[in-house]
Amino acid sequence: MSSRRNTELFLLISAAFPVVLLYAMYVITTGTALTFQTLAVPLGLFAAFAAAHIAVRILAPGADPAILPVVFLLSGVGITFVTRVKPELAMNQLIILFASIVLMVITLALVKNLDVVKKYKYSLGAIGILLLLLPIFIGTEIYGSKLWITIGGFSIQPGEFAKVFIVLFLAGYLAENRELLSISNHEVLGFKVPRLKLLLPLFVVWGICMLIVAFERDLGSAVLFYTIFLLMLYVATGRISYVVIGFALLAVGGFGAYKVMSHVQTRFQIWLDPFADPSGDGYQLVQSLFSLADGGLVGTGIGKGMPTLIPIVESDFIFSAIGEEMGLLGGAAVLFLFMLFAVRGLTTAARAKSDLAAFCASGLTAAISFQAFLIVGGVTRLIPLTGVTLPFMSQGGSSLLSSFIIVALLLRAGDEATGREAELSGTGIMAAQDVPVPGGVSAAGTRVYGGNASAAGLTGSAGGSHARPGSRLRRRLLDTPESGVLGRVALAKRLTVAVFAFTALFAILVGNLTYIQVFKAKDYQNMSINNHSIARAAYVKRGSIITSDGVTLAESIQNEDGTYSRSHPNGNLAANVVGYYSTRYGTAGVESTMNETLTGSKDYSSWMNAVNSLAGISQPGNSVKLTIDSRIQSAAEQALSGMSGAIVVLDPRTGAVLASATAPSYDNNDVEASISATEESGVSMYDRATQALYTPGSTFKVITLAAALDTGASSLQETYSAPSSMEIGNADVTNYENANFGTISLRRAFAVSSNVVFGQVANQVGATSLVQYANAFGYGQSLGLDFSTAASIMPDPSLMTEWELAWAGAGQPVGQGHTAGPQTTPMQNAVMAAAIANGGIAMNPYVVAQTLSPEGTVIKSTQPRSLGKAVSSSTAQQVKEAMLDVVEEGSGGAAAVAGVKVAGKTGTAETGTHVNSVFVGFAPYDTPTVAISVMLENYDVHGVKATYVASQVLSAALSAQGL
């Protein structure tokens, strides 16, 4: 026995070196000198474990020699990181840690033999269930879960202690009934299934776990308890059927909980896509992934990472802090220690002198090891978050105290071990009902209990069994492989399977951690919402964002501490285009799309920048010059004041965005307030210009007309009947306000915007052709060279009826059973108008004109790109003429600008409860330099027409261009 304790002492001394070294590294990062006083925590911890070693040497000399050193190493790393991320809680955690070590020794002294569990198993079970369910009635809800009970100024988590009592109860119950559970079964379709009454414990545990999920909102504890029970049941009986049925019940319960419990749905949705709500429900997991990505292979170094950005990092997410600052190597080392704990714990079970001790050891080992798997799997997004703590490492008294009680019981089980060759003692129903026959051993090595030994072909005297010689019960007891030496062999095999299972689980964790910290790290670091990357860039002067006419929209100002803050000297001008830069919420807009250029990191736009980037030298960011003209942008934003809608102004020749305004807008100096604000307050971060899909109304007739002319389906001179209403496709198509235009030409129908005529024209063109032409103008794709838009929508032509096609041609999406169209963004409408002004060639819009070095020299200029030729130049010319008539003779007169010919198309779009006013156009007519799209919501409320607003903005744009 002394050799085991000597090994333990050697391992403790070896573990002291990394523990002291890690804490010393932390002390150095705080700027404190290394002295015995500053290293008092790791040295004191080593002394405490050394004292515990002496106690174990006296109280449990035969215990496993590796468990205590593993726990010391885990505890040392844990207290170091708790001190690192939450120094104000460090002293309290240290006191609890020392108290836990004392409690471990006291438990070891009091529990001299685990056989006492047999006598009190039901009492232990009752206490365990009481502790588990007590928070339902008197618990305090914290962070959405009702797990804690508050007494005075202290709070405890009864569930942490409940797992110890329940494991002991299960061990006692299974030790008494394992043979009955293992042999009593019948076959269903060739599959051995336990009798229904034997499944009762499984259903009871399942029901308790469902109660925990429902009322305590604690998914982690429920999964942990249920898995421990299944493992112990398998180890006791060897019946795979119990495991299969158990997991089937788990699947049923999980599916039911997901369907009816919102908190379970939230957990799963966060797991599936935490980036769907990175600033809300998914924030904690997203920050964990960002931290792990920062850690890489070797870590940032203790004290040099940003784990404190993770809420409650000291508890549930302590492993994320370890992974960030110790890297993959450190994180994998921690996982290896937990795997080693599982192996040594199950080895203790295999050496146990009794089945009860074996079951205790296997259950207690699972309580620690599987809990570690649950929490690490959750914070690394392998499985949904469960909210359990990381044993020995997370901040929290209840977890720490219960974990050290488990260690004491494992040491006691190891001290009682007799080796795998010994028979199991106290094997269930046989021990309870029969008296062994002296010397009665079968040829197979199975001890015979009770009855007439000679009847079984054995030697020895009878032992007074209650079973009749030759009875069915007696034959089962004789044939069972769960007793004697064979029972030891069977148990050892199952424990070997358990060892492989836990090894596989931790190997999966290491593999997943490698994926995050090595293969996926760059993707996470380059995300625009990665506030970690942004915070690291705080010490680099971020480049400015300026307009085409030299007005600064965003710049960096140096603070007293050497960091830089983002400033917007011209207020919120073009806020939807510029976006924001936040250490918490990441980046958006140009701040996001041009992030690497603006931060000066990994910028290869010039040879000097490339050399500096490769060398890792910090350099000022490059500036970005936009295509936005501040004068046109200001005019557009002023025109939208007090309304909801969007205005886009393009250069039709290149696709350059001269203005992009949305209302309501937001304050990019106060992102947090903007995110929490509502549109009713006049603040919105929703960019209507690029993301909102609207009914285009009669502005879509530009595409319908272009398609009809380009395909030869009609001409501007062709006449049509234009009554107030006409039946097309067995349903009515009506003109706006039921206007009756009689018989008019297509050119005139375009000017007065007759829905009836364009319904007829659309059916002449055909659904397939109309959709093809819409796509040629940009529908069905995200527009933008350096930004993105929502794709404008056209319906599936094969699903459109004549009536739906007629209304689509008039710009109104109708229909059922499929996606209705057309639906357009204001940006798409601007591209459409610009294509007509540009001779039928649609240009892909862009907002970044140039990249400038910190010295102001041009590094890169954006080259315009075409979406393709939407229609021929002759068709475009005819549509231009028709659009000129709209402004000069038709419904768009209010869009006119003095001294300049303006062409355009009006539209009104009914949205069900309100009416939107729409306009697209361009100017000057002969040589267009400006194309505009205006969308005003709720025209029926404010009465301002889009044509009036377009005139104001066009006038400002032409003035800015000197026309």
Side-chain angles (χ1 to χ4, degrees), residues 145 218-221 223 267 316 371 374-375 378 383-388:
S145 295
D218 184 16
L219 183 63
S221 293
V223 174
R267 288 287 178 93
D316 296 5
Q371 182 169 328
L374 281 179
I375 187 58
I383 58 176
L385 279 169
T386 53
V388 296

Side-chain angles (χ1 to χ4, degrees), residues 26 33 135 155 208 274 324 359 524 615 618 653 699 771 781 920:
Y26 162 68
S155 62
I208 291 173
E324 179 178 6
F359 302 154
Y524 285 139
S618 175
R653 301 163 296 184
T699 59
V771 171
Q781 61 182 299
V920 295

Side-chain angles (χ1 to χ4, degrees), residues 191-491:
F191 185 68
K192 290 186 176 181
V193 179
R195 294 183 178 180
L196 187 60
K197 66 178 182 179
L198 297 180
L199 291 175
L200 183 60
L202 195 61
F203 286 110
V204 170
V205 174
W206 179 79
I208 291 173
C209 291
M210 290 300 101
L211 286 175
I212 296 171
V213 173
F215 295 102
E216 296 185 11
R217 302 167 66 89
D218 184 16
L219 183 63
S221 293
V223 174
L224 177 62
F225 284 120
Y226 195 70
T227 305
I228 292 172
F229 174 68
L230 286 183
L231 174 71
M232 294 181 69
L233 192 59
Y234 168 73
V235 168
T237 66
R239 296 302 183 188
I240 296 295
S241 56
Y242 283 116
V243 179
V244 173
I245 295 171
F247 277 111
L249 286 173
L250 183 64
V252 170
F255 181 77
Y258 178 82
K259 285 295 184 181
V260 301
M261 300 177 191
S262 60
H263 62 282
V264 176
Q265 292 177 5
T266 299
R267 288 287 178 93
F268 272 88
Q269 288 163 1
I270 292 172
W271 172 55
L272 292 173
D273 187 9
F275 299 100
D277 188 12
S279 301
D281 288 338
Y283 182 75
Q284 201 174 27
L285 183 54
V286 166
Q287 294 303 308
S288 172
L289 294 174
F290 288 164
S291 284
L292 291 170
D294 290 343
L297 183 63
V298 297
T300 61
I302 187 167
K304 296 181 179 179
M306 290 178 281
T308 52
L309 292 176
I310 308 173
I312 328 175
V313 63
E314 71 279 3
S315 180
D316 296 5
F317 285 80
I318 195 72
F319 184 81
S320 301
I322 295 169
E324 179 178 6
E325 299 193 341
M326 293 177 61
L328 173 62
L329 297 179
V334 169
L335 294 177
F336 175 78
L337 288 173
F338 277 110
M339 183 181 72
L340 183 59
F341 182 93
V343 171
R344 299 309 301 180
L346 292 172
T347 300
T348 296
R351 295 179 62 252
K353 73 170 184 179
S354 67
D355 49 0
L356 187 144
F359 302 154
C360 281
S362 59
L364 294 170
T365 300
I368 295 292
S369 304
F370 193 72
Q371 182 169 328
F373 171 81
L374 281 179
I375 187 58
V376 175
V379 302
T380 58
R381 203 190 162 197
L382 178 65
I383 58 176
L385 279 169
T386 53
V388 296
T389 56
L390 188 60
F392 308 114
M393 307 190 85
S394 293
Q395 184 273 328
S398 300
S399 174
L400 207 54
L401 291 167
S402 64
S403 296
F404 275 87
I405 292 174
I406 288 174
V407 171
L409 295 174
L410 278 175
L411 293 174
R412 173 56 63 207
D415 184 54
E416 295 178 357
T418 58
R420 68 181 62 185
E421 293 80 10
E423 300 177 5
L424 287 177
S425 63
T427 51
I429 60 172
M430 292 183 295
Q433 296 178 0
D434 301 300
V435 179
V437 178
V441 180
S442 71
T446 304
R447 184 178 295 278
V448 180
Y449 287 81
N452 190 339
S454 61
L458 304 173
T459 61
S461 60
S465 171
H466 293 289
R468 299 189 311 274
S471 71
R472 182 180 180 186
L473 175 61
R474 182 173 176 277
R475 285 197 302 273
R476 282 190 176 178
L477 298 183
L478 288 171
D479 294 339
T480 177
E482 295 299 327
S483 55
V485 174
L486 290 184
R488 168 66 64 184
V489 172
L491 178 62

